[in-house]
Amino acid sequence: MNWSKLTDSIFNGDIFGTPVLVKEAIAEGIAPKDILEKGLIAGMSAVGKKFKINEIFVPEVLIAAKAMQAGLTVLEPLLAESGVKPVAKVVIGTVKGDLHDIGKNLVAMMFRGTGFSVLDLGIDVPPERFIKSAEAENAPIIAISSLLTTSMPSMKDTVELLKKKGSAARIKIIIGGAPVTQEYADEIKADGYAPDASSAVDKVKELLGIR
Ligand code: B1M
């Protein structure tokens, strides 16, 4: 298998070519786990690296994520059969009072693209829902996005509500979004902050002790 063909097809956002290459790899008898890790995830990691250093921008990342999704659609039933375990589950959403979801979707795609399982609660998510969902899904991470200074206090409410729960010891909260800063995360005692989608993945891996 020529892995660079598959990673390039993700990097270039080739929505039609990626599933074809995945099907070819399956036909060659390559393990679904290898196709996922050496092809799709490697391609998306390359996208994340370029995005982080401003060599590519949001539109390219969204298109790459679509190509990744197209490849995953072919691979997903086989992965389920072969028992490839997701890295961990992330419950993600946009904070209560806030309808912005483009950045949150990008963060969710980056998590999916790097092997995490994601439960996306959508927009306008109240603190109780974040916590109940993470508890019910046994997810170790809640990822909260906010684009409005007026909706940021609901992040604080979520952190405070979690601290009152028995599940607080095993659930960590990471926050982000244009007006959010590391200082704000420290102030509200969130476990982590990330300025962009690929840093969010790095931060969650760091919090979970995953290399
Ligand atoms: Co709104 N809006 N908007 N808006 N909007 C902003 C955010 C604003 C800065 C525009 C401005 O005034 N200059 C301003 C907020 C001001 C403030 O609070 N400081 C604003 C306002 C005021 C409003 C309304 C109140 C306007 C009104 O109705 N009067 C209203 C609020 C509605 C509501 O939410 N209750 C409103 C509505 C809207 C639209 C519906 C029209 C639309 C949203 C469409 C949608 O999301 N589906 C919209 C848009 C598009 C914007 C701007 C123009 C673009 C936001 C965006 O998608 N950026 C925005 C101005 C701007 O940012 N230039 C603006 C691209 C996206 C990829 O970036 O979301 O920052 P971003 O995500 C980044 C990082 O922040 C980070 O990763 C992403 C990329 O790597 N990140 C995380 C995000 N979440 C993360 C979570 C993490 C980690 C990283 O961990 C969990």
Side-chain angles (χ1 to χ4, degrees):
M1 173 71 199
N2 182 351
W3 291 114
S4 62
K5 254 174 110 177
L6 188 50
T7 53
D8 285 355
S9 80
I10 300 282
F11 191 84
N12 297 325
D14 188 348
I15 294 161
F16 301 106
T18 302
V20 173
L21 290 169
V22 171
K23 281 178 193 160
E24 278 176 20
I26 294 167
E28 277 179 40
I30 296 170
K33 185 175 185 290
D34 285 342
I35 303 173
L36 177 70
E37 287 174 1
K38 296 180 186 167
L40 303 186
I41 293 179
M44 204 61 192
S45 299
V47 171
K49 280 184 192 142
K50 294 280 182 191
F51 182 56
K52 211 168 174 176
I53 56 172
N54 293 325
E55 282 190 13
I56 60 171
F57 300 96
V58 172
E60 288 97 325
V61 179
L62 290 175
I63 294 167
K66 281 196 171 159
M68 165 107 195
Q69 191 53 51
L72 266 182
T73 306
V74 178
L75 207 54
E76 255 164 6
L78 296 172
L79 287 172
E81 277 169 26
S82 62
V84 173
K85 294 262 181 298
V87 179
K89 189 154 209 167
V90 174
V91 169
I92 193 168
T94 300
V95 77
K96 187 177 176 204
D98 196 333
L99 309 178
H100 295 85
D101 67 356
I102 297 169
K104 182 265 295 168
N105 291 345
L106 205 55
V107 176
M109 283 176 189
M110 200 58 86
F111 276 120
R112 286 196 186 98
T114 46
F116 285 83
S117 149
V118 175
L119 174 65
D120 188 345
L121 300 178
I123 52 175
D124 195 18
V125 181
E128 309 75 40
R129 190 154 170 246
F130 274 117
I131 292 164
K132 276 191 180 151
S133 302
E135 286 174 345
E137 298 286 329
N138 211 14
I141 296 289
I142 295 174
I144 314 176
S145 178
S146 170
L147 263 283
L148 297 172
T149 45
T150 49
S151 67
M152 283 166 65
S154 187
M155 291 176 148
K156 182 170 188 268
D157 296 344
T158 312
V159 172
E160 283 176 358
L161 184 62
L162 178 65
K163 304 253 182 257
K164 290 183 193 149
K165 300 271 186 167
S167 54
R170 63 154 201 87
I171 300 176
K172 297 198 182 326
I173 296 183
I174 171 175
I175 62 172
V180 181
T181 59
Q182 180 65 59
E183 288 68 37
Y184 184 71
D186 294 343
E187 187 189 317
I188 69 167
K189 299 189 170 53
D191 299 289
Y193 157 77
D196 56 59
S198 48
S199 314
V201 172
D202 293 344
K203 177 52 78 176
V204 163
K205 284 186 171 170
E206 183 193 315
L207 288 173
L208 297 178
I210 300 168
R211 272 193 329 121

